[in-house]
Amino acid sequence: MYFKVFILIMLNRFISKTVRTAILNPIEVMVAHLILSSIAYVYLFNLAKSSEVLKGASISHDSILSTVLYASPNDISFSPLKDNPSSLLTSPTVTRLGLKQLEISPPLQQQASQEGLNNIEKFQDHIESKLHFPDGNTSWTYQNQLCYNISNNSCPVFERFVKEDHTIVLFYMFDLNDSRRVELAELWEKKIQSTLIDKIVPVSYLKHQHYYSHSENMSTIVWLIRILKNIFRDAVIRMNSASRVDVIVVAIGYILMASTFISLYIRMHKLGSKCVLATTILMSGFFSFMFSLITVYKLGIPVDPILLSETTPFLVVTIGFERPYKLTKIILDKQKSNINESVFHIISSSVEAIAPILAQDGLLEIIVFMLGAKSSLPGLREFCLMSAFLIIYDILLMFTWYISVLSLKLELRKIKEATMTPIASRENTIFNAPSLVTNEFCQRKSPSIIKTKLLLIIGFLIMHVFEFCSTISISANKSHVSAVSVADPVIKPVLPSILQHHRASFEGGFANALLLQISPPISFQLLNHTPPHALTWSTLPLSTMVGGAYDIYNTYAQNPVISKWVVAILMISILLNTYLFEIAKHRMQQQTRNGKSEEKSYKVSSKKISHDSEHNNQKPSPVIKHQQYYTAGHIRKQQPSSLTIRSVNECLQILKNPQLGAAALANEEIISLVQHAHIAPYALEKVLGDFERAVQIRKSVISRNSRTQTLETSALPVTGYDYSKVLGACCENVIGYMPIPVGIAGPLWIDGDSTHLPMATTEGCLVASVARGCKAINSGGGATTVLTPDGMTRGPCVEFPSIIDAAECKRWIENEGFVVVKEAFDSTSRFARVNKIQVAIAGKMLFIRFSTTTGDAMGMNMISKGCEKALTILTQQFPTMQIVSLSGNYCTDKKPAAINWLEGRGKSVVSEAVIPRTTIESVLKTTVDALVELNISKNLIGSAMAGSIGGFNAHAANILTAIYIAAGQDPAQNVESSNCITLMKAIDGGNALHISCSMPSIEVGTVGGGTILPPQQAVLDMLGVRGPHPTSPGKNSQRLARIICAAIMAGELSLCAALAAGHLVKAHMEHNRGTSSSSNPMPDNQQVQVKVPATPASTPCASFIKLNTLTNIKESS
């Protein structure tokens, strides 16, 4: 576990550094990748020169295939195997061998010289003992593991056969008794065909050179036509010889690959990119494919071209392009929401957020494919290994190549927008998506895509494991394909020797049957000179290095493809740098011109406005300075410019234009439309689509229509608030938000839990006083609370024709009708449950008070809905009943009422605590007797003298309202929620004080209302009561009521102690009056009286007019 975390941390650090480098040096990274990819392309192209497709020698009817012979234990010679039974391939009593031939032709069909014979001997020694094939932790050679060992554990030695044309034939016997040996024997043959050793080269190499010497003089179009013709002919022959299932599977793979490409372009187009980013992703995938192919080849695992053509579509579909799409999505979303941030910060922060997820998923896929590469099944091993390296390179290129292209694109976009008008920049931006796309970065792939990919992978593995399908190849049973002839004078004398060696290896025992596969000869040519790229026997290290460097230069630097790439890259780099230089130059000139014109316009406009205001008292023609433009719902500040406000008709046409809309209008133009009644002030959010901008404009409109006209430039904040939570839920016609300081008292131990008490208040000493009460209560063991009834109430008023009907309805509800009404009420909500119905009659009217539980919601909306349903049932039972009001003030909500004090409303909570006498004397600076006496005199007798209802406390409303505002509750409900009676009594012979607070009507909730706002949710999170309780609905709101009651008890104790000790006025004078209202107080003799100018007349002032007014203030002072 720790190792995995360490690996992920190190990987994330590496990715972060790599991404920063790519962002800061995009052109260098792009050029480096293009050059490396070009080198990889040329390298693979040179390897592919031996391909049958590129040589034009496609599969023909004269191709020679292997011949299989069989000899039973009693046979004295071999006989051809006709039916090829599968039992012989797996039987333990059958030995399976393979005979391979190497033909070496001397130059000009002459007898090989002594030097040529020496080269042939060295060639034999190289391929028998020095040609290694890695297999796990061991390395196999022909002599040690691959050959068929006879009785003395040595390889059989066959004499060279010399044909009439002086061609020398070498024979090699391979052990094919298991699948791994068969695979290594085929690998040995393929590696031999691509080996150039001194003057001995494969004939295919000479044909290759001859073909390309002719192709150099061939037209490119003719060459491409020939290659396409060969590919088509090759595919037709293979499909005709393959089974129908194989063809269908491969065809489905190619169709899915094409759909993957199309899907990539469609998805990237939805993000706002037409083709650039999708093409870049495809190039990244192609580069990764080339790099992984070279890596697998260098590891000694050659990939068959036929297998590659079959597995490529499955590689594309399985790996896909989900990683770069997710990365692009989160970067573009962050760029839209943080327009003013730099590209470097946007990309780096986005990568830091999503890189751990992408790296972890990629690492898991790599591990799975690496485990699959351990398989010995042909084809599966190569597929898994290619996939693993492809994912590695894909992730690496995504965080280098793709990031560099994306960062350069974003930088060019910002530069382009900075030098164009806002409307033109919006029309020409490459990321102007038709609509805002929801954030999908954390969403999973659609189930259909997951199922499709999963079925493809499972199907591919099943076909290989159970060998349902094989690679598309020429069937050996075709009558038109010839095989190696056993009557050939080269083969015929070798067969008896093989049979003799085989039976001698059993040392007189009963020999197994023998199955012999004779492969067609591999032709080599002995040259008079050493060809390029060939291994030599006596080259010095220095000459080898120099020759290798020259070969690399000759192969890559002078390659026409790479040379053209280099020229193209240099041209792009020069053009891009020239473009950026011109842009920077243009911006500097524009800033200089704007600075001069702004200063000139400022002076002229100031004089004109001052003259008009003083003498003519007319509104000046407003000139917009420091104009703000808005795109995609966000503010973007442009360079200062002088733009005259367009007419109302022009603004109205722009507003109605669906391609332009309100985003193309300036703030002053929107204000003009509002003032001319073309936009309703309450509908600004809907029209603009930008909540913050709507609030700012509404604030300006209200200010200019007010008497003082000070609201627009006031300190009432607008920015930095999530108004989307407010609209339609908490407030209407919003012009800003009111910051209120939030203090913390405590912690206070409540029912065994340490709880901090958040309080939003502007009353000094309140938080400090409650904190002192918490300290005193904690010293006695903390506070204990109990919850008695829990039920929110609503009391509708209904009327009947007579008191008889009203009394009958009252009787019915209180008896048999209770169940009917309750069922109707409870059916409206999952949480609302009627506990009690209290009915009061006044003349012909009935007041029905429903008391119900409401879960974790405060419940007024929930219970109102239930009351409507219950009244509908009552109307059916009593048709003459008329509903007067859904709320008949019998609830009672937000008004002082004895019924709430007596019957309770919301949560009824009682809290208590015991405080030792020593704590009261040391912390509260008073005595137990003094507190008891003060509580009786003030809270009980004093409140009774005032005729108070539920006000038998010192200041319960103070603490309750402060917590209500901080926790998103309804502050107006402090009227009934503050009902509290505080009792104090001396216990334990006067050595301790018992204090309790009984509050029968605390109305709180943790869902709905103000609890949906983020700051209030943060407070509820701190208290551990945010949202609904996961298992017991209502527990969170009940816990909040307990906290409030205990906090009030702490405040009651501290205030009463201050009153008893006579410290109240002193504390307020010290804390509330201890600091001057001025941050820099001056002595009386140095204070300067500042004359405040009169409020200016109503005008749509621009920002420079306000600046001029402030300047006048300073001058007058």
Side-chain angles (χ1 to χ4, degrees):
M1 178 65 183
Y2 293 105
F3 178 74
K4 177 184 176 182
V5 173
F6 174 76
I7 291 295
L8 291 176
I9 292 175
M10 297 303 295
L11 190 60
N12 292 335
R13 290 181 179 177
F14 171 76
I15 291 175
S16 299
K17 292 182 179 179
T18 304
V19 168
R20 292 190 183 100
T21 303
I23 301 173
L24 295 175
N25 308 281
I27 298 178
E28 292 83 351
V29 173
M30 291 168 60
V31 170
H33 279 84
L34 289 174
I35 293 176
L36 289 176
S37 302
S38 301
I39 294 174
Y41 163 76
V42 174
Y43 181 81
L44 290 175
F45 189 75
N46 288 332
L47 288 180
K49 287 181 179 179
S50 59
S51 172
E52 298 293 332
V53 174
L54 294 182
K55 286 193 296 185
S58 184
I59 299 173
S60 64
H61 298 285
D62 299 327
S63 299
I64 301 176
L65 300 179
S66 301
T67 297
V68 180
L69 303 178
Y70 175 74
S72 66
N74 300 322
D75 290 342
I76 60 175
S77 63
F78 286 98
S79 59
L81 185 65
K82 298 180 180 179
D83 51 355
N84 192 20
S86 59
S87 59
L88 295 178
L89 300 177
T90 57
S91 174
T93 61
V94 178
T95 301
R96 291 165 290 279
L97 304 180
L99 179 65
K100 298 187 183 296
Q101 313 171 61
L102 305 183
E103 292 183 350
I104 304 176
S105 302
L108 302 177
Q109 295 185 352
Q110 297 177 358
Q111 187 174 1
S113 62
Q114 186 60 43
E115 181 184 1
L117 294 176
N118 292 337
N119 285 332
I120 292 175
E121 289 181 358
K122 294 176 181 178
F123 174 75
Q124 282 185 271
D125 179 65
H126 177 77
I127 63 178
E128 292 175 3
S129 60
K130 297 181 181 179
L131 204 59
H132 294 271
F133 301 91
D135 183 43
N137 297 327
T138 61
S139 182
W140 291 26
T141 61
Y142 171 78
Q143 285 186 346
N144 296 334
Q145 289 90 2
L146 297 180
C147 71
Y148 177 62
N149 293 323
I150 55 179
S151 57
N152 56 356
N153 291 328
S154 61
C155 297
V157 180
F158 301 97
E159 295 183 0
R160 299 174 183 172
F161 185 89
V162 183
K163 294 184 178 181
E164 294 179 357
D165 59 354
H166 305 293
T167 297
I168 299 175
V169 183
L170 308 178
F171 300 97
Y172 293 94
M173 183 67 63
F174 284 82
D175 186 352
L176 305 180
N177 284 303
D178 59 71
S179 60
R180 183 57 181 155
R181 290 181 178 274
V182 173
E183 183 181 351
L184 290 175
E186 294 176 356
L187 183 60
W188 183 89
E189 183 175 347
K190 291 179 181 179
K191 205 163 188 178
I192 287 295
Q193 294 179 14
S194 60
T195 302
L196 283 72
I197 302 178
D198 204 5
K199 299 179 181 180
I200 301 177
V201 297
V203 174
S204 60
Y205 173 81
L206 298 177
K207 293 180 179 179
H208 207 161
Q209 297 296 323
H210 176 73
Y211 171 75
Y212 279 98
S213 65
H214 287 282
S215 65
E216 289 176 358
N217 299 323
M218 188 186 304
S219 171
T220 304
I221 297 177
V222 176
W223 183 80
L224 288 174
I225 293 175
R226 179 172 296 182
I227 294 300
L228 293 175
K229 180 180 177 181
N230 293 337
I231 292 175
F232 178 75
R233 183 176 59 185
D234 217 24
V236 170
I237 294 175
R238 295 189 186 279
M239 285 192 294
N240 290 335
S241 61
S243 66
R244 184 173 297 178
V245 177
D246 296 341
V247 177
I248 293 175
V249 170
V250 175
I252 292 175
Y254 275 96
I255 292 173
L256 291 176
M257 181 176 69
S259 65
T260 302
F261 293 152
I262 296 172
S263 173
L264 173 64
Y265 276 91
I266 293 174
R267 298 175 74 187
M268 296 305 292
H269 181 71
K270 290 181 179 179
L271 292 182
S273 174
K274 294 182 179 179
C275 61
V276 175
L277 295 183
T279 305
T280 303
I281 293 174
L282 287 183
M283 291 178 66
S284 177
F286 180 67
F287 295 164
S288 304
F289 179 77
M290 292 193 299
F291 294 152
S292 60
L293 196 59
I294 293 175
T295 304
V296 172
Y297 177 79
K298 286 296 184 180
L299 292 177
I301 305 175
V303 180
D304 185 76
I306 301 173
L307 176 65
L308 190 62
S309 65
E310 295 179 23
T311 57
T312 297
F314 292 97
L315 278 173
V316 174
V317 175
T318 303
I319 296 174
F321 305 104
E322 193 65 24
R323 276 183 291 268
Y325 172 77
K326 285 184 176 180
L327 180 63
T328 308
K329 182 68 175 65
I330 189 175
I331 289 176
L332 296 186
D333 285 347
K334 191 172 182 64
Q335 194 268 343
K336 290 177 182 178
S337 59
N338 300 275
I339 295 178
N340 294 327
E341 291 188 10
S342 64
V343 173
F344 176 84
H345 183 267
I346 290 172
I347 297 180
S348 58
S349 60
S350 300
V351 170
E352 288 179 0
I354 198 174
I357 301 174
L358 298 181
Q360 186 173 357
D361 293 344
L363 190 61
L364 181 61
E365 293 177 8
I366 292 170
I367 293 173
V368 172
F369 281 120
M370 282 297 185
L371 293 176
K374 292 291 184 180
S375 172
S376 60
L377 295 175
L380 181 60
R381 181 187 181 200
E382 291 82 359
F383 173 80
C384 292
L385 201 60
M386 275 277 298
S387 300
F389 283 109
L390 187 60
I391 294 173
I392 294 174
Y393 287 119
D394 182 63
I395 294 176
L396 185 61
L397 287 174
M398 179 178 64
F399 290 119
T400 53
W401 157 262
Y402 182 66
I403 284 293
S404 64
V405 175
L406 183 58
S407 64
L408 187 62
K409 201 71 178 175
L410 293 178
E411 288 286 1
L412 290 176
R413 177 200 177 195
K414 291 180 77 75
I415 294 173
K416 189 175 182 181
E417 290 182 348
T419 57
M420 298 174 64
T421 59
I423 298 176
S425 65
R426 284 193 298 274
E427 291 176 348
N428 293 302
T429 179
I430 61 166
F431 296 115
N432 187 20
S435 60
L436 294 178
V437 185
T438 55
N439 189 2
E440 300 172 354
F441 135 66
C442 291
Q443 296 179 0
R444 297 292 181 187
K445 303 175 186 177
S446 63
S448 59
I449 297 177
I450 296 176
K451 292 180 181 178
T452 303
K453 290 191 174 184
L454 185 61
L455 290 176
L456 281 173
I457 297 174
I458 294 175
F460 185 85
L461 296 177
I462 290 176
M463 286 189 296
H464 278 79
V465 171
F466 295 99
E467 299 180 354
F468 287 162
C469 297
S470 59
T471 57
I472 298 179
S473 57
I474 303 298
S475 174
N477 296 326
K478 297 293 181 180
S479 58
H480 58 267
V481 180
S482 61
V484 178
S485 175
V486 295
D488 192 327
V490 177
I491 300 297
K492 189 173 183 180
V494 179
L495 297 180
S497 177
I498 294 174
L499 194 58
Q500 181 181 357
H501 281 302
H502 166 65
R503 291 178 177 172
S505 64
F506 285 87
E507 299 180 354
F510 186 76
N512 286 345
L514 182 60
L515 197 67
L516 178 65
Q517 179 185 13
I518 304 175
S519 301
I522 304 172
S523 300
F524 288 83
Q525 181 69 48
L526 181 62
L527 304 178
N528 292 325
H529 62 278
T530 303
H533 311 293
L535 299 175
T536 58
W537 309 116
S538 59
T539 54
L540 295 175
L542 181 60
S543 62
T544 302
M545 293 173 60
V546 175
Y550 177 77
D551 289 339
I552 293 174
Y553 172 79
N554 185 52
T555 303
Y556 296 104
Q558 296 184 0
N559 186 275
V561 177
I562 291 186
S563 62
K564 292 176 182 178
W565 264 115
V566 171
V567 172
I569 292 169
L570 289 176
M571 291 298 296
I572 293 173
S573 178
I574 292 172
L575 292 174
L576 186 59
N577 281 280
T578 304
Y579 174 75
L580 295 176
F581 177 76
E582 291 295 331
I583 290 294
K585 182 179 177 181
H586 176 72
R587 292 185 66 186
M588 291 177 62
Q589 294 175 353
Q590 186 180 22
Q591 288 177 1
T592 304
R593 290 195 301 266
N594 287 343
K596 294 180 179 179
S597 62
E598 178 186 2
E599 182 179 359
K600 182 178 180 181
S601 175
Y602 171 79
K603 293 180 179 178
V604 174
S605 301
S606 298
K607 293 180 180 179
K608 184 177 184 299
I609 292 170
S610 177
H611 181 271
D612 291 342
S613 300
E614 294 177 4
H615 298 283
N616 299 329
N617 196 23
Q618 296 176 356
K619 298 182 180 180
S621 177
V623 179
I624 305 172
K625 305 297 295 181
H626 298 275
Q627 182 59 53
Q628 294 179 339
Y629 291 95
Y630 300 79
T631 57
H634 298 284
I635 302 174
R636 176 172 299 157
K637 294 185 179 180
Q638 302 291 341
Q639 294 293 333
S641 59
S642 297
L643 299 176
T644 304
I645 294 180
R646 289 165 285 198
S647 65
V648 174
N649 292 333
E650 290 178 340
C651 295
L652 197 58
Q653 291 178 359
I654 295 174
L655 180 65
K656 295 179 179 180
N657 190 332
Q659 296 181 351
L660 299 177
L665 296 174
N667 279 4
E668 292 294 337
E669 294 170 336
I670 296 292
I671 292 173
S672 177
L673 291 176
V674 175
Q675 291 175 338
H676 287 82
H678 292 293
I679 301 177
Y682 65 84
L684 281 169
E685 285 84 358
K686 181 179 179 181
V687 173
L688 301 181
D690 186 331
F691 296 157
E692 188 172 297
R693 187 187 182 196
V695 171
Q696 181 65 61
I697 292 175
R698 184 183 293 113
K699 181 181 177 183
S700 300
V701 172
I702 298 300
S703 175
R704 297 176 190 184
N705 291 331
S706 65
R707 183 178 64 85
T708 60
Q709 300 182 5
T710 58
L711 181 62
E712 187 173 6
T713 57
S714 65
L716 181 68
V718 172
T719 60
Y721 198 82
D722 187 1
Y723 292 103
S724 63
K725 303 287 187 180
V726 178
L727 186 65
C730 298
C731 189
E732 299 78 32
N733 283 338
V734 181
I735 60 170
Y737 59 95
M738 185 61 65
I740 299 177
V742 178
I744 289 291
L748 175 63
W749 284 93
I750 305 173
D751 299 325
D753 293 331
S754 179
T755 306
H756 288 87
L757 307 176
M759 304 171 66
T761 181
T762 56
E763 179 182 344
C765 294
L766 179 60
V767 176
S769 176
V770 175
R772 187 175 73 146
C774 292
K775 181 179 179 181
I777 293 175
N778 288 340
S779 67
T784 303
T785 65
V786 294
L787 186 105
T788 49
D790 179 4
M792 180 53 64
T793 62
R794 172 65 81 191
C797 174
V798 296
E799 187 176 7
F800 293 85
S802 65
I803 61 173
I804 297 176
D805 294 338
E808 176 61 23
C809 180
K810 179 179 185 298
R811 186 203 62 78
W812 184 81
I813 293 175
E814 292 175 344
N815 294 281
E816 67 271 15
F818 176 81
V819 176
V820 178
V821 175
K822 174 178 170 58
E823 289 179 355
F825 190 104
D826 294 351
S827 66
T828 60
S829 171
R830 293 179 299 162
F831 305 105
R833 297 293 180 266
V834 174
N835 293 330
K836 182 175 65 172
I837 300 178
Q838 186 176 357
V839 185
I841 186 171
K844 299 186 297 179
M845 294 184 293
L846 279 186
F847 294 87
I848 309 169
R849 192 172 190 258
F850 294 86
S851 178
T852 69
T853 58
T854 55
D856 283 304
M858 189 270 291
M860 289 304 297
N861 294 331
M862 185 188 303
I863 195 172
S864 296
K865 183 179 178 182
C867 286
E868 286 184 341
K869 181 70 173 179
L871 292 179
T872 301
I873 298 300
L874 279 176
T875 304
Q876 296 173 1
Q877 184 70 23
F878 299 95
T880 59
M881 185 186 79
Q882 293 182 353
I883 300 174
V884 177
S885 174
L886 186 64
S887 175
N889 277 4
Y890 193 53
C891 313
T892 295
D893 186 36
K894 298 171 183 159
K895 291 169 284 292
I899 194 170
N900 292 334
W901 174 245
L902 299 174
E903 300 292 337
R905 189 170 194 257
K907 276 71 176 172
S908 298
V909 185
V910 180
S911 62
E912 71 170 355
V914 176
I915 301 97
R917 176 179 58 83
T918 54
T919 300
I920 291 177
E921 294 175 353
S922 61
V923 176
L924 302 179
K925 309 301 182 182
T926 185
T927 63
V928 174
D929 294 336
L931 280 173
V932 173
E933 179 65 24
L934 181 133
N935 184 68
I936 294 173
S937 302
K938 169 183 168 60
N939 292 339
L940 300 183
I941 300 176
S943 297
M945 292 295 296
S948 176
I949 301 175
F952 301 94
N953 57 80
H955 66 151
N958 231 347
I959 297 96
L960 181 135
T961 306
I963 297 179
Y964 266 31
I965 296 173
Q969 308 303 308
D970 189 348
Q973 289 183 325
N974 75 334
V975 176
E976 64 270 29
S977 296
S978 300
N979 285 337
C980 174
I981 180 169
T982 301
L983 299 177
M984 298 184 189
K985 186 176 182 180
I987 61 174
D988 195 18
N991 291 322
L993 174 72
H994 180 277
I995 181 173
S996 66
C997 287
S998 303
M999 305 184 67
S1001 52
I1002 301 179
E1003 300 163 349
V1004 291
T1006 56
V1007 295
T1011 64
I1012 67 173
L1013 302 177
Q1016 284 80 350
Q1017 286 182 342
V1019 170
L1020 295 174
D1021 266 330
M1022 183 193 70
L1023 296 175
V1025 295
R1026 175 184 172 184
H1029 194 277
T1031 57
S1032 301
K1035 288 292 185 182
N1036 281 351
S1037 60
Q1038 291 175 1
R1039 174 63 182 172
L1040 179 58
R1042 293 171 183 265
I1043 292 173
I1044 292 172
C1045 187
I1048 288 173
M1049 184 172 63
E1052 291 285 287
L1053 177 63
S1054 181
L1055 177 59
C1056 289
L1059 290 171
H1063 296 162
L1064 179 64
V1065 176
K1066 180 181 178 181
H1068 275 274
M1069 291 301 297
E1070 288 181 355
H1071 292 279
N1072 290 357
R1073 312 296 183 189
T1075 58
S1076 174
S1077 59
S1078 174
S1079 58
N1080 296 311
M1082 295 183 295
D1084 294 339
N1085 57 356
Q1086 295 182 8
Q1087 290 184 357
V1088 179
Q1089 297 295 327
V1090 179
K1091 180 182 179 181
V1092 180
T1095 303
S1098 176
T1099 175
C1101 302
S1103 58
F1104 74 93
I1105 301 175
K1106 303 166 193 173
L1107 180 62
N1108 186 43
T1109 303
L1110 295 176
T1111 305
N1112 293 334
I1113 294 175
K1114 293 180 181 179
E1115 291 176 355
S1116 63
S1117 62

